[in-house]
Amino acid sequence: MARKQVTWGGRFSAGPAQLMQQFSESVSFDSRLALFDIAGSQAHAAMLAHVGLITARECAAIHKGLEQIRREIEAGEFAWDLALEDVHMNIEHALTLRVPAAAKLHTARSRNDQVATDMRLWFKAACAELRTKLHGAQCALLDVASANAGVLIPGYTHLQRAQPVYLAHHLFAWMEMLARDCERFERVAALANWCPLGSGAIAGTTLPIDREHTARLLGFVDARGRPQVTQNSMDTVADRDLFIEFANACALVGVHFSRMAEDLILWSSSEFGFVDLPDAFCTGSSLMPQKKNPDSCELLRGKSARLQGNLHTLLTLTKGLPLTYNRDLQEDKPPVFDSFDQVAICAEVFAGTVGGLRVNEAACAAAVADPALLATDLADYLVERGVPFREAHHAVGAVVQLAEKRGVALNALETREVKKINAAFAEDWREVFDLKRALAKRSGTGMPGPVQLRRQFARWKKLLK
Ligand code: ARG
């Protein structure tokens, strides 16, 4: 016989079927909200005492009981019961067994505004934690960039060699991506910073509560310490935008890591040979003894699919859902928790992989030595001599074609040959092919020249410390 549900069983003559319990429980995943749930309950109780709905003594008993439960949970000694459905009812039930006043805790509160509060607290903490993890990945990047500050590689467009850049400039492109990800989490945390408590199940309460008081206690305050409470009780219990924003921020981290991972996979292939990935983040083949596979990078690439899937799950979950709360919404947590877990470990694995990277300077130097990478500089040379860029581009195209026909490097052609193509070519035309000089000329903001690179090193050092 199914036991009657204590929390809401009043109007039921029988409890849920075993199968229904198993189907509808969420404590197996929402127990990770426990500490936020306790903090929320303590603030709620304090507010109830503040407005006189419970006595100070009752409030103190509730606080003490919750502290005890917190310690048990932290020690792994708390007995979670699937029959009690979720984290909220597990904790309230345990509290009720110890503290008679616990029967008053749910005054002017519903699990709908309770779970919204727990999640908003969780999002604030989760965003801060992921920012720390991404910061770790950025520090690892800065270290590799510093250790290889003089290394040049070809930059690619269409996966064809395009123009020379410092390896550090490429790594700093990754830094920018991660910096935007950090900012995104900061924005999501700001969106989370509004207190739902007091919205009740859908329509607030008839009791004289003080929402601002609870918000202040829970740290839902603006920069000047003023409480921030949500402004519409129906929206508050129905809204899951924040979940989607968080999953979106995570999905973008995934996309970013997948692109960096792909570069590393290419660079570590024999075809490129620019880098050696650390053994500790690679695996071998059970059949081919010579293989060293870039598995950490491949998984970083693969995890992005999962992170996008989580975002999609949440969009689909909320699409067309009538206002306000529907039990469907319980399914909002697994994708969010999974996105958090995956981004956290991705950032660590990325930092580990990058941290153990060895740059093969000879291979990089050989790849970047092709004078054709400076064909655009040669066009700029003509521009400096008054040739319109379109014409200069065409002339250099003809120079490239001639070199190809001859089977020689671009700068191996005779001066009189290039002069025939465009009269603006002078004796000094080969100076263009000095790589150092070519990079030095790229001195504008955002460009890969050494002056800018020094500025970027200084900037990142300052930002990351
Ligand atoms: N476990 C539920 C969830 O995560 C809590 C809210 C339950 N509310 C309700 N009306 N049954 O969505």
Side-chain angles (χ1 to χ4, degrees), residues 26 30 86 88 111-112 115 325 327 329-330 333:
S26 59
D30 66 17
D86 57 23
H88 323 294
R111 276 185 295 155
N112 295 354
V115 72
Y325 179 85
R327 192 65 183 276
L329 291 177
Q330 183 167 287
K333 281 170 280 304

Side-chain angles (χ1 to χ4, degrees), residues 13-28:
S13 45
Q18 182 70 36
L19 182 63
M20 177 55 185
Q21 272 183 12
Q22 185 195 334
F23 185 59
S24 67
E25 68 83 22
S26 59
V27 68
S28 56

Side-chain angles (χ1 to χ4, degrees), residues 8 113 126 173 182 190 219 230 265 310 346 422:
W8 42 256
D113 59 352
C182 286
T230 57
I265 290 166
N310 289 339
C346 280
N422 192 301

Side-chain angles (χ1 to χ4, degrees), residues 404-460:
E404 257 176 25
K405 213 166 82 192
R406 291 271 163 78
V408 297
L410 205 54
N411 57 351
L413 293 167
E414 301 288 341
T415 302
R416 61 177 169 74
E417 290 177 299
V418 297
K419 266 186 128 115
K420 235 188 271 168
I421 291 171
N422 192 301
F425 281 116
E427 289 302 328
D428 63 353
W429 73 285
R430 282 195 199 83
E431 282 173 18
V432 162
F433 298 100
D434 179 342
L435 260 180
K436 277 235 159 75
R437 180 176 172 276
L439 265 304
K441 286 190 132 188
R442 290 174 160 79
S443 57
T445 304
M447 298 182 195
V451 172
Q452 284 302 326
L453 206 59
R454 270 196 295 280
R455 285 179 64 176
Q456 293 302 326
F457 268 113
R459 173 175 162 245
W460 286 119

Side-chain angles (χ1 to χ4, degrees), residues 230-269:
T230 57
Q231 296 290 307
N232 181 292
S233 62
M234 292 180 74
D235 176 53
T236 300
V237 295
D239 170 33
R240 291 298 182 271
D241 291 7
L242 190 55
F243 293 58
I244 294 168
E245 304 259 15
F246 178 81
N248 176 59
C250 291
L252 271 168
V253 175
V255 167
H256 286 162
F257 277 142
S258 79
R259 297 185 73 174
M260 303 177 210
E262 176 61 13
D263 279 344
L264 288 173
I265 290 166
L266 288 169
W267 290 355
S268 66
S269 69

